[in-house]
Amino acid sequence: MSASDFVIVILAAGKGTRLRSSRAKVLHRAGGHSLIEHVVRACQPLSAKRIYAVVGHQADDVRAAVEPLGVETVLQQPQHGTGHAMVVARRAIGNRVKHVLVLPGDAPLIRPETLRALLQTHRNGNAAATILTAVIENPSGYGRILRKSGNNVAAIVEQTQLSEEQRTINEINSSIYCFALDKLWPALGRIKPNNTHRELYLTDAIAVLSQQGDTVLAQIALDAQEVLGCNTRAELSEVDRLFRGRKAAALMDAGVTIYLPESVTVDSEVQAGEDTVIEPCVQLLGKTRIGARCTIRTGTVLSDATLADDVTIEPHCVIASSRIDSGARIGPFARLRPGNHVRAGARIGNFVELKKTVVGEGSKANHLTYLGDARIGRNANIGAGTITCNYDGVHKYPTTIGNRVFVGSDSALIAPVRIGDGAYVAAGSVITENVPADSLLSLHQVQVSVVKVAVRHNENCAILYIL
Ligand code: UD1
Ligand code: MG
């Protein structure tokens, strides 16, 4: 089957009643992405002529999720079943291709290799339809495969229509199929909504094809987990757990130690280098990149963080969209909001918050400090309780702290302000004016030369600052 002779249709119009949710089922998340995004990503490497998604329930939101991934959408309104969804997709598909690969939007663990193998079986067998099936321990809820002879299928029977003896069949329909379009379209014309939901089931097209003597093949998935659907919250969390397990296993294969991996959440795009150690209850999210020999201690959440080699993140840190260079040590209990760069060997201690701040090589802010919109040079020491007062209620202002600066405890730096290289600011200072390089600012000097009284007018009140 060449790239030019098949399209992919992802069925994503359903509501997902069994999730009991105000959000469309395919937009629920597992393994760090929406269900539909996983399915689209599994389809992308196959080079189909087009990828379509049939949308309906919360169509705009589902469109917004898939269109940026290069998927075209077809509107199914109202939703009268999976067979009806394919009838609706027919016009978009047109006559340009011979085959269609159909997938449900709620089975996100599927891998491209499995889809490729299914396409291959379909082509080699010259089949009218080829069904990806799986043999699972608890088949309850899935359509079951009625085999005719050998690899040939007679029908798919939905859970609600199973006879007593069919209930023991544990080969299930994954809802992933290849169809020859010249066979599918007439077969869809012959199915009836003979079920409790009065829907047109795509599964009923299988019996139609089989009865008219067409070849319907079944291919059993090597890894049954790949076809698991997410119809209920329990299935959703199980699928999430499997994604996390896959990712943790891949990282461990790449030389990362993970303790209690079942307690660790790692998104699919996260990378980590050899000999990095991840302790229990850590979350590594988004595009987080971790170098070699790092230690990420318990309770830490990193999202879109970039760590060089030999970084230690002590317990219970929250770090977003920040860069941390080699040998730096953060936490415990530090919060890095987006936009920070902590340079090599720097130390950010407990109850320290950073926002859009650069901390120079070897500098330290060890305790109880807020540094926002600040640039701090090399080997500076920021004492306990130092606050950059970067916000006057309307605008944000920068603070610049030079190399080797010592800021004593409990100092307030009223931005915009600059503290020159080598300056020494005494404990308890309130700095409102620039401090020259190498100056020694005692509390007395602060009161005499720097202290000011400022009055600022807001709309309804005047604020008196005694500085
Ligand atoms: C379906 C199959 C079942 C199979 C199971 C595998 C049918 C009738 N049954 O059941 O044999 O074992 O998948 O997971 O097909 N959808 C539409 N339009 C609609 C209805 C559904 O686009 O009118 C979409 C849904 O959004 C979903 C997919 O089709 O992504 C499958 O629908 P779902 O309701 O999940 O079917 P299942 O009951 O899981
Ligand atoms: Mg389903």
Side-chain angles (χ1 to χ4, degrees), residues 38-70:
H38 284 292
V39 176
V40 173
R41 288 188 188 282
C43 291
Q44 280 167 334
L46 302 179
S47 311
K49 190 168 177 73
R50 292 257 194 297
I51 303 177
Y52 298 101
V54 179
V55 300
H57 187 71
Q58 295 185 351
D60 289 344
D61 294 339
V62 180
R63 262 194 210 107
V66 298
E67 282 180 354
L69 302 171

Side-chain angles (χ1 to χ4, degrees), residues 404-418:
R404 295 171 281 98
V405 166
F406 182 95
V407 179
S409 298
D410 205 17
S411 294
L413 313 178
I414 316 287
V417 71
R418 301 177 76 89

